[in-house]
Amino acid sequence: MGSLDRSKKRSHLLKKALVHFSLCFVMGFFTGFAPHSTATLFHHRPVKSVGVVPSAPVDPMERVIDASLIQIPRSFPAAVLPEGDANRPPPKDVGRGHEPQSPSRRLLIVVTTTRSNDRLQGAYLRRLAHTLRLVPPPLLWVVVQAHADALATAEMLRTTGVVYRHLTFMENFTDPEAEADHQRNVALSHVEYHRLAGIVLFAAASNVYDLRFFDEIREIEAFGTWTVAVMSTNRKRAALDGPICHSSKVEGWILKDLSDDKRLLVTSTDLNQKPPKINISGFGFNSSILWDPERWGRPTSLPDTSQDSIKFVHDVILEDETKLKGIPADCSRIMVWQL
């Protein structure tokens, strides 16, 4: 009898365990079909992408298609700006304001123009981006481009790690020089409207730079100029284009072809008292001349410069060379190569 009772008891426990297992299995099976709860500890608002937004009301055709602000406090990339904030001027960290800064902390505003028919442009822009990444901040890279060509470049610019503004325009040009000047005016209008305080220089995508050059130009108070080595592989030509200096004072200008004379020997016959035009890659200036001319000894009743800012800056530089600072101090080093 004892063995029979034990057998019944073991059978009962086995059935009980089997029922419990079956219940747990069924509950787990149907729980998998239940909808997940939408309640979370943190609620994130969906980010709305900002596409083509106006950069300034100066020119209705000018557009900023991207404005990356990497490593700038209290700022946002254009792709994550809250709705309605796309037209806000750049934050003070980017260079706005009138507080004097030490030269080492001056904002560099590097303006680069583009050409639609340049098949090497993407490679040149990426190479220049790698150079600018090595320059100590603050630095703002302003890239200007025809609207039709802008999307591919915008994708590339987002990956550079350089703080930039990408400006576009809608006009069509047949003259490359006129198009380049228009692009420079678009960039300067953007700088003027947002009052970006810093040192402006025009850097062609194909230019090559000595990194020490960027430290030197932060010393510019009003206007600065330097010698550019102009090289052409097709014509097998090399030339020097820029100032001759005593200390930092500009005493003359030189445009000397070195194709046949590689001694870099400059004589008095090579000097010009005033150049007809300064190489666009060979000068920089304090951006406040665009909106605060009185500070630099200019009359306040200036004609409207917004349509041709680059001509205005060029004329101001040439009319009074005493305001020019030679870079470096004695203009003895080549630090910019124009290809």
Side-chain angles (χ1 to χ4, degrees):
M1 287 293 290
S3 62
L4 186 62
D5 289 337
R6 281 195 299 273
S7 175
K8 286 182 179 180
K9 192 172 182 180
R10 193 179 299 113
S11 172
H12 178 70
L13 289 173
L14 214 70
K15 287 180 182 178
K16 190 175 180 181
L18 196 60
V19 170
H20 283 180
F21 174 81
S22 301
L23 284 173
C24 290
F25 176 82
V26 171
M27 288 178 66
F29 180 81
F30 285 104
T31 301
F33 290 97
H36 292 289
S37 172
T38 57
T40 59
L41 183 60
F42 301 103
H43 177 60
H44 295 280
R45 294 179 60 188
V47 174
K48 296 185 178 182
S49 176
V50 177
V52 179
V53 298
S55 65
V58 176
D59 183 354
M61 303 309 291
E62 179 192 337
R63 295 292 183 268
V64 180
I65 73 161
D66 200 279
S68 173
L69 293 175
I70 301 168
Q71 297 176 349
I72 293 264
R74 304 193 303 279
S75 59
F76 303 90
V80 296
L81 278 172
E83 187 174 11
D85 287 357
N87 291 322
R88 282 185 183 176
K92 291 183 180 179
D93 306 72
V94 187
R96 295 179 66 220
H98 302 282
E99 297 80 4
Q101 291 182 315
S102 66
S104 63
R105 294 299 301 163
R106 281 183 184 145
L107 174 70
L108 294 182
I109 304 169
V110 182
V111 176
T112 299
T113 59
T114 57
R115 291 194 305 176
S116 301
N117 59 350
D118 189 350
R119 58 189 178 85
L120 297 176
Q121 182 172 271
Y124 284 147
L125 285 172
R126 190 170 291 279
R127 185 183 66 181
L128 181 56
H130 287 314
T131 299
L132 297 180
R133 282 184 66 180
L134 301 175
V135 179
L139 180 145
L140 177 64
W141 189 20
V142 180
V143 180
V144 190
Q145 192 170 30
H147 184 77
D149 305 323
L151 286 179
T153 302
E155 289 296 327
M156 185 275 293
L157 290 174
R158 292 189 189 104
T159 66
T160 61
V162 179
V163 181
Y164 70 91
R165 293 283 185 277
H166 190 191
L167 311 183
T168 69
F169 61 95
M170 302 294 290
E171 293 85 350
N172 295 316
F173 294 88
T174 55
D175 181 5
E177 285 297 321
E179 181 178 9
D181 277 348
H182 176 75
Q183 292 185 41
R184 294 175 190 122
N185 285 326
V186 168
L188 294 182
S189 293
H190 184 80
V191 171
E192 179 180 5
Y193 174 72
H194 293 285
R195 297 207 170 187
L196 302 179
I199 305 301
V200 178
L201 70 146
F202 299 98
S206 59
N207 283 3
V208 177
Y209 292 92
D210 184 324
L211 283 176
R212 295 171 294 179
F213 166 76
F214 297 99
D215 294 326
E216 293 279 357
I217 62 174
R218 281 194 163 113
E219 301 290 334
I220 294 174
E221 294 295 338
F223 304 97
T225 184
W226 48 87
T227 302
V228 178
V230 182
M231 295 174 288
S232 172
T233 54
N234 294 337
R235 300 177 184 176
K236 296 182 179 179
R237 177 176 177 266
L240 285 183
D241 187 2
I244 298 296
C245 307
H246 178 68
S247 186
S248 293
K249 181 182 177 183
V250 176
E251 296 195 331
W253 302 84
I254 182 175
L255 177 55
K256 184 176 179 64
D257 193 333
L258 303 177
S259 303
D260 300 319
D261 182 5
K262 298 179 175 60
R263 295 173 298 165
L264 297 180
L265 183 62
V266 178
T267 65
S268 58
T269 57
D270 297 319
L271 291 180
N272 296 308
Q273 290 302 311
K274 194 177 288 288
K277 190 173 184 179
I278 300 180
N279 189 311
I280 196 67
S281 296
F283 72 90
F285 62 95
N286 192 309
S287 61
S288 64
I289 188 64
L290 298 172
W291 66 81
D292 191 9
E294 199 172 31
R295 176 183 173 188
W296 305 109
R298 300 286 298 173
T300 54
S301 56
L302 291 171
D304 179 23
T305 61
S306 61
Q307 298 305 312
D308 203 351
S309 299
I310 187 63
K311 182 179 183 300
F312 165 70
V313 169
H314 185 265
D315 291 345
V316 172
I317 291 174
L318 288 181
E319 76 178 15
D320 187 1
E321 293 180 4
T322 61
K323 297 175 183 175
L324 281 172
K325 175 185 175 69
I327 303 291
D330 54 358
C331 302
S332 61
R333 289 203 309 268
I334 305 298
M335 307 183 82
V336 180
W337 293 263
Q338 186 178 27
L339 305 181

